[in-house]
Structures are given as C-alpha cells and as structure tokens.
Amino acid sequence: MNIEESLKYIEIAASSFLKNNEVAEISSQINTIRKKQNDANLYLAVIGEFSSGKSTFINALLGFRLLKEAVTPTTACATYIRCKGNFLKVDVEFFTGSKFVVSTTQEFKKLAAYLHFHHNRTFYDLKSAVEALTSEQSIAKTVKSLYIDVPNTNIPSNIVIIDTPGFNPGANNVANHIEITKQVVEDIADAAIILTPQEQAMSSSLIRFLQNNIQHYLHRCIFVVTKMDVIDKDTRDGILSYVKSRILHNLNLPSPKLFGGSAITMLPVKRIPTGKEQEWVSFQKEFSWFEHRVWSYLQKSKIEVLKEHVYYLIENTITQCVTHLSRTQKDLEVNKEFLEKHGIANIQSVCDKMLASARSSVNSSINNISISLSSAEYSSRSYAESVINEGVITLSNFKQMMMPKIKDKVEKEARSSLSSINDRINSQVENTFAKQIEIMSKVFSTHYDSFPSLRPKQAPPLSNILRFNSPNMSFSIAISKIDSLEHEENTATGVGAVIGGIFGFLVGGPIGAAVGAGVGAGGGIAAGDKSDEMRAAAIPLVKDEISSYFILLKSKVEQELDNIRLSLSKALNAYADEHIRKYGVAVSKLIKDHEGKILFLNKQIKSLKNTILNLQNMRDEINHEIALSKINN
C-alpha cells in the first residue's frame, strides 16, 4: 500500500462529495498523518498506574536518574523526553500562559524566579527544577506542556520517550489524566509500554482502563512487569504466566508482547542486595536486550501506526461518504416528489378537489338559508281582513283607504323578511365563500414555498351578492271584483226607481208616480245593496293576492339564490383557473431545472458509490497488511 497515494485519493473523495467542515476535518487528519510520516522521530509512550515504577523505568532507559519518583499523582500533561543536544534543556509552558525555554544560566534564572514567585520554592540548578516539575504535585499540576532534551543517554537520538500521567481511580484529575494518555496512544505514540508492578500485576483497574480507552491499540503495546528483582525465579515465572493469562482472557490479545524485568538494576545504587549480585547482572543483560528489541520494534511499528491512521481515516471518510450518499439519495427523492407535486396535472387535480369541496360548502350554506315567508304572509292576511271589516266597503274607499294600508303592511312584512334573509346570506354564505377562498389561497401559497420569489400577487375574489328588494304590491283582482260588485249595486237602484214611478203613475198619476218612484228606488236600493257581498268577496281575494304575492316573492328569492350559487361558483372557478395559469408559467422553468438536477444527482450517486467501493477496497487492503504484520510481530 502506498500511503501518500491513499491520502491523495481520500482528499479527492472528500473534496468531491463532503461538506466544507467535513473536508476541513479530514484535511486536518491527513496533515497530521503526513506530519507524522515526515517526522524522523519515533515516539514511545510509557503508561502505568500511579506507583507502577514509571519514573524508575524511564530513568533506566535513559541510563541515569532524571525523574524523581512522585509520592502522589502529579502531572496534568504528558512529558516528552528527547535524546538530543549536549546539555540539559527544558521547554515548559504553564497554565498561566507563561513559557520558558531553558538551556542557559540566564534562562534558568527566569524559570527559577517564576517558580519562586508562584510556589515559594528556590532552585539552584535545572535538574532539581525538572524533578519538581515532574514529581511535586503542587508544581507539576500547573504544567500545561513539558519537553526535556537530555544529552548522553542510552536511547537512540531519534527516539522520544513520552511519560504519561498516572491514572489511578480516585486520584485527583484522573479523568483528565486518562484522556491525555488515551490521546497520546491514539495520535502520537508509535508504540507504548504498559507497566504493571509484580505485587499488583494486571490489576482490575488497569484492565478496565485498557478495555475502555485503548483496546483498539493494544497490539502496538508491550507489557512489562516491573520490580521482579525482589522475588525469586519461580514466583517470577508464575506472575508472567498469570499476566499473560489475564491479557489473553480480559483483553482478547492472542499474542501479547510480554517482558518481566527490573529497571532499578540499570541505575546506580549504593549497594546491590546481598546474594543478588549474579542475578543483578542477569537483570541488566535482560533489560539491555529488551531495550534493543524495543528500538527495533519502534521502527517497524511506525509504519504500522501510519497504516492504522490511514485505515481509520478511510473508515471515517467512508462513513461520511455513506452519510452523504444517503443525503443525496434523499435529495433525489425530494426532487422527484417536487416534480410530481408541482406538475400542472397534479395542481389541476388539487384544484379540482378544492373546487369541489369549496362549491359543496358554499352550496350547503345557501341551502341552509331558510326562505320561509309564512309568518309575514299570515300577519299580512290577518291585517288585511281586519282593515276590510272595519270600514265602509266601496270601490273608492277600498282604493283610497284600505288598499294603501294593506299594501304598506304587506310590503313592510316583506322587507322585514327579506332583510332577515339578507342578514343570513351575509353571515352564512359570504363567510363560507370567504373561508373557502382563504383555504384555496393558503394551498396556492404553499405551491410557491420552494420558490417564493415567483409568488404571484393574485388578489382573491370578493363575493358580489345582490340584496333582495320587495316588489310593489298591487290588488288588481280585488279592485276588479269590487268594481264589478259596486256597478251591480248602482244598476239595481236605478231600475227600482223606474219601476216604482211607472207603478205610481198608474195608480195615482204624477204624484203617485213620484211617490212610486221614490218607493221603487228605495226598494231597488234594498234589493241591490252589495256591501256585505263586496266585503265577503274582497277578504278572500285580498288574502289570495297577498298569498300570491308572497309565493312570487319566494320564487324570486329562490331564483336569486340560484344566481348567487352560480355567481360564486364562477368566481371560485376563475380563481383556481387564474392560479393554474400563472403558476404554470412561473414553475415550468423550475421544473426543467429540477429535472436537470435529478440527472446530476443520479450521476453523483453513481460516482459516489464507486468512490465508496474504492475506499472500502483500500481499507480492506490496509487491514490485511496490518493483520499480517501483527502475526509477524
């Protein structure tokens, strides 16, 4: 596998399909891998619980005592020990923001002054200051970063030892210590040494830390059981066997790299324990052999670590590309839905359904209007009868006195009824029409949600309903009938007078004729009096005409309601048709654009699927190489 070619392909894949923030994140990871690839140094992390002997072990690697064993958990950062230069050099930054690069006496004085001011401690040389920075909790916990350059060591010049913070459960800032250690192993270290003291070999707390934080990176770790010099060989063999069993069963690491030894034997001591002289030399040889194995392993491990970084980067890129593919496919579905939803045929169907519902609602509101005029008719008929019964019934009197009163009453009742109907039309029909228009307007408005700039300024129609007015009342039939009856009454009076005169003349001469004429006329009047007949005839005729009037009025109201129904239906149709026409013009171009977008998305999906397949092949190839290297190691 070519790491650089893989990185370039990942860059192209990310920039082609992912969002800017995702591309930036992947680019940052690529830069980190390239930086590590170009870094000639090899990084060895030393991990262990508090009191696991880390400081002694690192001093043993160096060949002299640089770090002092701490009594309590101390550093809040990882300490980088580099083997370079001709004199001790310290690069330290504190959480206060103060930074010191100390390699000369003058620079040391500045650091010493800072430590005296903040911690009331006096230091006379850089080595004692380093011991305080790494072992005294009150000072060490204020250190943000620490790099120490050490000359004349047993360690090759390109190797950097990373002393990680202890992570004992219950210790102060242990959560932060765990995160720092995890980050060092994941991102920086080429290999790691995990220390476990023989008296607490592979403790449950250590196993939990390894399981929860660096399980994926244990294959690049070397397990070291420390302080083996204080126990006999049989016990040492038993402990190593126990540790191996714990690693196999609890950490699922089939071939762990395991070493048991004594770091203290590599450092100057006042006196070798009695009886341990020969064993002391063996421990030293074993430790030296172990050191050379570690340096050799580091070089091989760096390549594998780079491959692992590329592997996880590919995994991350695949995940994000798959997510992007899902989004792209969803966008494709949305675009298809857009075309189906915003097509003219679909909008026509939507409008047809809305129109049917709107017309039904308007018609229902019209049908629910009561146009009963029976109360007005009954009141008018009763009033007419009472008027006719009260006065003298003559044609003149009927025309001039009765008919105007009755006419006023009928038309007043008609106006009152029509006013009530008009009010119901206003409250029911107009409101229903306005509500349906509002519903249609809202639906029409949603059609432009995807392109509000094209939303037309189409004003919804207003209802234009005529108000009902009562027609004039005329009593043509009743007037004609009374006129006829009155004519009969006048004729009967004249005939009686002529007959009476003739009869009187025959009996008594001219005087008798005059008397007879008078008597005859009186008899004629009596015989021809039609008042009761006229009254009796007028009442039903007037009532019938009143009923006919209200029947005609009701018919006209019904006809006008039909006209209103037709007018409002036309207004609804026109509103929908106008929307469809304007909408069609506005949206046709966008539909074409969306069709083009669908073609583009289909091509992008095809290309993205090929890219994901290539990334998966790269990942599988790297995974195979890593697996082989684990077997070989």
Side-chain angles (χ1 to χ4, degrees):
M1 150 205 177
N2 187 301
I3 290 177
E4 183 56 32
E5 287 182 4
S6 298
L7 294 178
K8 287 180 178 179
Y9 188 84
I10 294 170
E11 280 181 317
I12 293 171
S15 61
S16 298
F17 299 108
L18 303 184
K19 295 180 178 178
N20 290 340
N21 60 320
E22 296 169 331
V23 173
E25 177 189 346
I26 289 175
S27 295
S28 175
Q29 294 179 54
I30 289 174
N31 290 336
T32 299
I33 294 173
R34 283 178 172 151
K35 184 178 179 181
K36 186 171 183 63
Q37 187 179 19
N38 296 326
D39 188 350
N41 291 324
L42 301 173
Y43 293 85
L44 176 66
V46 181
I47 300 169
E49 293 183 286
F50 178 65
S51 295
S52 60
K54 281 197 294 101
S55 296
T56 300
F57 185 85
I58 292 172
N59 288 337
L61 292 177
L62 296 172
F64 67 93
R65 286 186 171 86
L66 172 70
L67 305 179
K68 183 179 179 181
E69 286 285 352
V71 179
T72 58
T74 53
T75 53
C77 68
T79 300
Y80 292 77
I81 302 172
R82 300 175 293 201
C83 306
K84 59 187 293 188
N86 298 316
F87 42 80
L88 186 64
K89 179 181 177 182
V90 173
D91 185 341
V92 61
E93 179 181 0
F94 295 92
F95 284 109
T96 59
S98 297
K99 299 179 183 180
F100 299 92
V101 179
V102 182
S103 60
T104 66
T105 302
Q106 191 64 30
E107 291 163 347
F108 169 71
K109 288 181 179 180
K110 294 178 182 178
L111 173 61
Y114 175 89
L115 294 174
H116 185 271
F117 178 80
H118 287 277
H119 301 284
N120 197 26
R121 290 290 311 280
T122 301
F123 296 97
Y124 298 100
D125 59 67
L126 185 55
K127 188 174 184 302
S128 62
V130 168
E131 289 181 351
L133 291 171
T134 57
S135 64
E136 294 187 21
Q137 186 181 29
S138 60
I139 297 175
K141 69 181 182 180
T142 67
V143 177
K144 184 178 180 181
S145 66
L146 179 60
Y147 294 82
I148 305 173
D149 292 347
V150 183
N152 305 320
T153 70
N154 296 331
I155 299 176
S157 60
N158 66 328
I159 290 175
V160 179
I161 305 296
I162 308 174
D163 182 15
T164 61
F167 49 83
N168 292 52
N172 292 335
N173 300 321
V174 69
N176 183 51
H177 291 184
I178 289 174
E179 285 303 314
I180 291 171
T181 302
K182 180 180 177 182
Q183 189 266 334
V184 165
V185 174
E186 283 183 358
D187 300 333
I188 302 172
D190 297 304
I193 291 177
I194 298 174
L195 301 179
T196 179
Q198 53 83 15
E199 66 270 26
Q200 290 182 314
M202 291 308 292
S203 66
S204 297
S205 57
L206 175 60
I207 287 176
R208 281 195 300 272
F209 165 79
L210 298 176
Q211 287 173 332
N212 297 334
N213 297 281
I214 59 173
Q215 178 72 54
H216 295 302
Y217 309 96
L218 291 178
H219 59 277
R220 56 167 100 142
C221 294
I222 302 170
F223 294 85
V224 176
V225 182
T226 62
K227 306 179 185 179
M228 297 287 267
D229 58 286
V230 298
I231 56 178
D232 59 50
K233 186 178 185 306
D234 290 340
T235 305
R236 291 198 296 269
D237 292 342
I239 289 175
L240 288 175
S241 178
Y242 169 77
V243 169
K244 185 175 183 178
S245 175
R246 293 275 283 175
I247 295 172
L248 288 172
H249 292 93
N250 295 98
L251 300 178
N252 194 29
L253 199 63
S255 302
K257 290 175 277 295
L258 178 61
F259 172 76
S262 172
I264 191 68
T265 61
M266 301 300 292
L267 297 171
V269 293
K270 291 181 180 179
R271 183 175 63 84
I272 297 174
T274 304
K276 294 282 185 178
E277 292 83 2
Q278 186 175 354
E279 205 173 48
W280 207 259
V281 173
S282 296
F283 276 123
Q284 289 175 336
K285 289 180 179 179
E286 289 176 2
F287 196 91
S288 295
W289 172 84
F290 168 75
E291 276 188 298
H292 291 297
R293 287 288 305 273
V294 170
W295 310 149
S296 176
Y297 173 71
L298 267 177
Q299 186 62 53
K300 294 179 182 178
S301 181
K302 179 171 183 174
I303 303 299
E304 302 310 316
V305 169
L306 286 171
K307 289 181 180 180
E308 285 182 8
H309 282 301
V310 175
Y311 175 85
Y312 289 117
L313 178 58
I314 292 174
E315 277 280 84
N316 181 40
T317 306
I318 289 174
T319 299
Q320 295 191 57
C321 283
V322 169
T323 300
H324 182 75
L325 176 62
S326 176
R327 287 197 303 258
T328 305
Q329 289 174 325
K330 186 176 181 180
D331 289 343
L332 184 63
E333 291 301 316
V334 169
N335 275 275
K336 287 181 178 178
E337 184 181 348
F338 174 91
L339 294 182
E340 294 169 357
K341 179 180 178 182
H342 294 83
I344 300 301
N346 185 64
I347 298 301
Q348 181 69 63
S349 174
V350 171
C351 286
D352 288 345
K353 291 178 181 178
M354 282 196 302
L355 276 174
S357 175
R359 285 195 294 261
S360 176
S361 296
V362 171
N363 289 340
S364 178
S365 69
I366 292 174
N367 294 337
N368 289 334
I369 292 178
S370 172
I371 54 174
S372 173
L373 303 174
S374 57
S375 177
E377 180 183 349
Y378 177 78
S379 177
S380 298
R381 283 165 59 96
S382 298
Y383 180 78
E385 184 174 4
S386 66
V387 169
I388 294 171
N389 282 331
E390 288 177 1
V392 177
I393 186 73
T394 65
L395 178 61
S396 175
N397 194 33
F398 180 76
K399 281 184 175 181
Q400 296 177 11
M401 300 297 294
M402 296 179 179
M403 191 178 70
K405 289 182 179 181
I406 296 171
K407 183 177 185 297
D408 287 345
K409 174 64 174 177
V410 171
E411 292 180 353
K412 180 179 179 182
E413 289 290 340
R415 284 194 299 272
S416 177
S417 296
L418 291 177
S419 175
S420 177
I421 292 172
N422 286 333
D423 289 342
R424 289 197 293 276
I425 288 175
N426 182 62
S427 62
Q428 291 176 221
V429 179
E430 286 192 341
N431 288 345
T432 300
F433 178 81
K435 184 177 181 181
Q436 293 304 313
I437 288 295
E438 182 182 0
I439 292 172
M440 293 174 70
S441 296
K442 287 182 179 179
V443 174
F444 293 164
S445 180
T446 62
H447 294 166
Y448 292 92
D449 285 347
S450 300
F451 30 89
S453 62
L454 298 180
R455 193 186 307 277
K457 305 297 187 292
Q458 182 184 1
L462 301 175
S463 61
N464 186 20
I465 301 175
L466 296 175
R467 295 295 181 263
F468 299 122
N469 296 313
S470 57
N472 292 328
M473 178 73 189
S474 66
F475 298 96
S476 57
I477 297 174
I479 291 172
S480 176
K481 182 66 175 178
I482 292 172
D483 186 21
S484 174
L485 291 173
E486 189 175 61
H487 179 71
E488 290 178 13
E489 180 181 12
N490 291 338
T491 301
T493 302
V495 170
V498 171
I499 293 172
I502 294 170
F503 178 78
F505 179 79
L506 292 173
V507 174
I511 295 175
V515 173
V519 173
I525 290 171
D529 186 1
K530 299 291 184 178
S531 295
D532 291 338
E533 186 179 350
M534 283 192 291
R535 196 184 307 277
I539 289 173
L541 288 174
V542 169
K543 285 185 175 181
D544 286 346
E545 290 206 45
I546 290 173
S547 295
S548 296
Y549 172 84
F550 280 104
I551 289 171
L552 176 62
L553 186 59
K554 184 176 181 180
S555 176
K556 289 184 176 181
V557 170
E558 290 174 344
Q559 182 180 358
E560 184 57 33
L561 286 176
D562 286 338
N563 292 336
I564 291 173
R565 184 182 289 108
L566 180 61
S567 173
L568 296 183
S569 179
K570 286 181 178 179
L572 292 171
N573 288 339
Y575 186 46
D577 290 343
E578 180 71 1
H579 169 69
I580 292 172
R581 184 183 67 79
K582 290 186 176 181
Y583 173 86
V585 172
V587 81
S588 58
K589 182 179 181 302
L590 288 174
I591 288 179
K592 289 182 179 179
D593 291 344
H594 275 72
E595 288 173 344
K597 188 175 181 181
I598 286 178
L599 292 175
F600 171 77
L601 287 174
N602 275 321
K603 290 180 180 178
Q604 190 182 49
I605 287 172
K606 184 178 179 180
S607 176
L608 182 54
K609 286 181 177 178
N610 290 333
T611 298
I612 291 172
L613 180 61
N614 291 336
L615 287 169
Q616 289 171 338
N617 290 336
M618 288 170 54
R619 176 199 60 192
D620 295 342
E621 180 184 347
I622 295 173
N623 193 39
H624 179 68
E625 291 184 10
I626 293 173
L628 287 177
S629 66
K630 290 179 183 177
I631 294 173
N632 295 331
N633 289 332

